[in-house]
Amino acid sequence: MAGQSPEKMEGSMFSPRFRSAAEMAGWDEETLLLVVEDTPDRQIKHKRRTDLQFKTPPLSNSRRKRRVQRRSPASIPATVLDLDVVDECPQKGSEKKKKEKEKSPSSCKKKEDSAAILCMDKLREELSCAICLDICFEPSTTPCGHSFCKKCLRSAADKCGKRCPKCRQLISNGRSCTVNTVLWNTIQLLFPKEVEARKLSGSVDSQEPKGKSLATRNRNQSVCPSNDDLGTELESSARRRSNQNLRNRGIRPSGILTRRVNEDARNRVQRRELLAVQDEDAALAVRLQREEYMEAFRPSDERQPPPPPQQRNSSTHLARANLRAIASRAMNMRVRGRQN
Amino acid sequence: MKSSSTGGVGRSWQSTATVSCSGKRIQKEMRELNLEAPPHSSAGPKGDNLYHWVATLIAPQGTPYQGGIFFLDIAFPVDYPFRPPQVLFKTRIFHCNVDSAGNVALDILKDGWSPALTISKLLLALTSLLSNPDPYKPLVPGIAHLYLEDKAKHNELAAEWTRRFAR
């Protein structure tokens, strides 16, 4: 009973039930305090940790301590990654930090995929323009710190007066709004699909839920590996996307494109040589993809049932046949090349 | 929307490009409202015209209007997010900010409009207008006067009207 007095001072931190459970497990209060002390975020992490430890069989004291020490560095894994994001986007820094933290480990485990999608949705919400409710296209930031599409902000200033649509603060000169480049680059990296679609249509474009899922799938490839190099990223993203799109559609031109992508990852020099052939494929794939977009982006109420096969886009048919031919030719060339 | 052709597959690409800015925004709002509607209200297109909506408000508890369901007409202008939608009460209501024709006196529907506002936020504002009438900017001065002078009588009448028209 005398030994419990220091614990009672900490009474607010441990519920009575937890304390009794801890006694049953043979924990002394020093270890408990140690566990609590080394966690920055008390409520959440403390709870999670105790949950974990309740499930495991009781451990010896020394092992427990070692475990605590082993874990503590693992609980702050993503801080290094945070830095560049924070100074990229100061007004949304804190929120982004959190999301980034969730995001970086999530690429490893498929179990956390749903969390990644959720976080992607949050990002989408955060980075969308309040006027067109779409992903910000060429975002422009007001002096009061709110970001909108440059176009949207300009027409809002023209038609509704020079006040911020969000907080009604005066915008000094709505005429000379400039693009927030860092934010714009971030958006291009995070949502290449949407940006591409809007660039193609030349105006603000609506997104189907389908675009969403594609974008989240894209994220693993385009964002995580190289945040550092924007230039090559953008340059290669079109090609990669087209390849990926083919795979998504289930057209498998004897698997050659897939294999080629894998080789890309392995050998960068060899890719340079293949580039010419690849570009042809990519161009075709882009055409196919565009045609698919045409169908997908048609408003649902007027989307008719698929027309009869012979009427149904002979050009797509032709393109597919072409693609297969090119793919098999390339395959033959490679086989021959290997034999020599 | 209306202008888009239902022709060949190849043509639909161009037709989607002609969908105006406002149409897209309204479609987006519709999708979001379907995902999660604000409490005590709902909204959606009346027929196949995207620019003409119907909305319902369920009056909040603790107001003289409780138990009533109020129908609204919402008409979107062509340059929608930059001009406010027009809102009309189709159900009669004893309220100093709503006249007998159903017009609503609400600042965000006039000068206070901002393109960052959405229908969902507008419905929230209307719900709060039901619980807190503004007698200092009345549309029906008689009701506003009654509200200020004899609130019990006002509430009684409002409840009476709700029973007669809104159920």
Side-chain angles (χ1 to χ4, degrees):
Chain A
M1 281 300 124
Q4 272 194 345
S5 56
E7 266 185 27
K8 270 187 180 151
M9 277 159 60
E10 293 287 324
S12 58
M13 210 173 290
F14 304 120
S15 70
R17 193 185 284 175
F18 174 77
R19 240 182 290 150
S20 61
E23 270 174 23
M24 271 164 63
W27 295 1
D28 50 350
E29 65 268 17
E30 278 170 29
T31 334
L32 286 179
L33 288 178
L34 202 136
V35 169
V36 174
E37 227 79 291
D38 83 325
T39 54
D41 191 352
R42 287 191 177 177
Q43 260 113 27
I44 302 164
K45 292 204 175 157
H46 173 237
K47 204 176 170 191
R48 197 198 304 148
R49 204 165 284 181
T50 52
D51 281 350
L52 272 172
Q53 284 175 344
F54 275 134
K55 277 168 199 160
T56 55
L59 300 164
S60 78
N61 207 359
S62 55
R63 256 177 86 194
R64 208 179 311 132
K65 271 182 182 160
R66 235 184 297 137
R67 193 164 177 184
V68 167
Q69 282 161 354
R70 225 184 303 141
R71 267 191 201 183
S72 47
S75 65
I76 39 164
T79 36
V80 187
L81 261 178
D82 294 348
L83 292 172
D84 51 350
V85 182
V86 171
D87 72 327
E88 265 176 10
C89 183
Q91 84 256 27
K92 289 168 186 168
S94 58
E95 285 146 355
K96 278 204 126 175
K97 205 173 181 179
K98 263 184 251 154
K99 284 162 190 164
E100 205 61 24
K101 224 176 217 170
E102 292 169 12
K103 209 181 66 185
S104 41
S106 74
S107 61
C108 319
K109 292 276 174 206
K110 64 178 176 184
K111 192 186 173 186
E112 290 163 9
D113 261 10
S114 59
I117 289 169
L118 203 97
C119 135
M120 216 49 195
D121 280 352
K122 273 186 201 160
L123 268 180
R124 177 186 304 274
E125 211 168 277
E126 203 58 50
L127 295 175
S128 60
C129 162
I131 297 176
C132 62
L133 304 180
D134 227 325
I135 295 286
C136 273
F137 190 80
E138 298 182 339
S140 179
T141 305
T142 58
C144 48
H146 296 110
S147 299
F148 308 91
C149 303
K150 189 175 157 193
K151 244 182 172 176
C152 291
L153 186 61
R154 190 165 283 175
S155 26
D158 283 348
K159 292 175 186 167
C160 308
K162 294 192 166 116
R163 287 180 179 275
C164 172
K166 276 222 160 163
C167 66
R168 300 184 206 275
Q169 269 192 54
L170 263 178
I171 304 168
S172 51
N173 40 358
R175 281 270 127 220
S176 66
C177 45
T178 49
V179 173
N180 182 341
T181 41
V182 179
L183 190 56
W184 179 222
N185 290 345
T186 310
I187 287 170
Q188 276 175 309
L189 278 175
L190 283 174
F191 302 99
K193 274 273 161 195
E194 282 85 346
V195 169
E196 191 72 16
R198 280 177 71 162
K199 266 182 191 161
L200 275 176
S201 70
S203 64
V204 199
D205 206 347
S206 68
Q207 281 140 35
E208 308 286 271
K210 176 195 156 219
K212 202 185 245 178
S213 65
L214 275 178
T216 44
R217 233 176 291 157
N218 241 15
R219 192 185 60 86
N220 287 344
Q221 282 207 339
S222 59
V223 183
C224 291
S226 60
N227 262 335
D228 50 345
D229 199 346
L230 177 65
T232 51
E233 177 61 46
L234 288 180
E235 168 241 309
S236 61
S237 69
R239 184 172 53 251
R240 197 187 310 136
R241 213 176 309 129
S242 59
N243 285 343
Q244 194 190 357
N245 196 267
L246 271 175
R247 262 182 290 150
N248 291 342
R249 296 180 55 186
I251 301 174
R252 318 189 104 243
S254 51
I256 188 134
L257 287 174
T258 337
R259 196 184 311 154
R260 205 170 280 163
V261 170
N262 290 340
E263 273 180 19
D264 275 2
R266 254 183 271 130
N267 197 339
R268 284 192 160 232
V269 186
Q270 199 182 341
R271 188 177 69 174
R272 296 271 148 76
E273 300 160 9
L274 282 171
L275 219 65
V277 193
Q278 241 175 351
D279 278 345
E280 274 178 32
D281 290 356
L284 253 168
V286 162
R287 231 168 70 200
L288 284 176
Q289 182 191 353
R290 204 171 289 171
E291 265 167 19
E292 202 172 63
Y293 264 117
M294 287 173 199
E295 277 190 26
F297 278 148
R298 231 186 321 156
S300 55
D301 50 337
E302 56 145 321
R303 202 179 296 163
Q304 327 141 303
Q310 80 269 47
Q311 184 202 338
R312 183 181 149 74
N313 44 42
S314 55
S315 62
T316 317
H317 232 77
L318 206 81
R320 265 181 211 162
N322 265 343
L323 192 67
R324 281 206 197 96
I326 288 177
S328 60
R329 216 183 303 147
M331 180 74 133
N332 289 340
M333 271 164 63
R334 176 159 324 157
V335 168
R336 241 176 277 145
R338 284 216 181 117
Q339 282 166 351
N340 290 343
Chain B
M1 280 298 299
K2 283 167 284 174
S3 60
S4 60
S5 67
T6 50
V9 180
R11 210 181 282 171
S12 65
W13 180 245
Q14 292 158 355
S15 71
T16 48
T18 63
V19 175
S20 63
C21 207
S22 58
K24 263 172 222 147
R25 151 107 187 207
I26 295 169
Q27 271 181 324
K28 270 199 162 291
E29 279 197 46
M30 192 167 72
R31 213 174 295 143
E32 266 161 41
L33 273 170
N34 284 339
L35 283 180
E36 49 176 330
H40 306 304
S41 50
S42 65
K46 201 178 213 170
D48 49 4
N49 187 351
L50 200 57
Y51 290 80
H52 203 162
W53 283 26
V54 196
T56 55
L57 285 184
I58 296 171
Q61 295 291 313
T63 65
Y65 311 100
Q66 71 179 31
I69 300 172
F70 297 91
F71 286 85
L72 309 167
D73 250 14
I74 301 177
F76 293 94
V78 189
D79 48 354
Y80 161 55
F82 304 109
R83 292 269 170 275
Q86 290 175 322
V87 175
L88 218 60
F89 266 80
K90 296 309 270 185
T91 309
R92 290 208 64 185
I93 182 171
F94 190 81
H95 194 290
C96 60
N97 302 113
V98 183
D99 70 5
S100 58
N103 296 306
V104 193
L106 186 63
D107 61 338
I108 60 165
L109 284 173
K110 305 264 160 32
D111 304 325
W113 174 257
S114 148
L117 289 171
T118 61
I119 290 302
S120 135
K121 285 170 191 156
L122 181 63
L123 289 175
L124 206 62
L126 286 168
T127 312
S128 99
L129 189 69
L130 289 189
S131 18
N132 304 301
D134 181 6
Y136 298 103
K137 287 175 198 156
L139 210 56
V140 189
I143 299 176
H145 194 70
L146 190 67
Y147 182 82
L148 290 173
E149 296 292 308
D150 188 354
K151 201 166 174 183
K153 180 96 166 103
H154 168 273
N155 287 355
E156 199 181 294
L157 273 170
E160 168 73 26
W161 279 45
T162 307
R163 231 172 289 131
R164 272 174 61 192
F165 299 113
R167 282 188 197 176

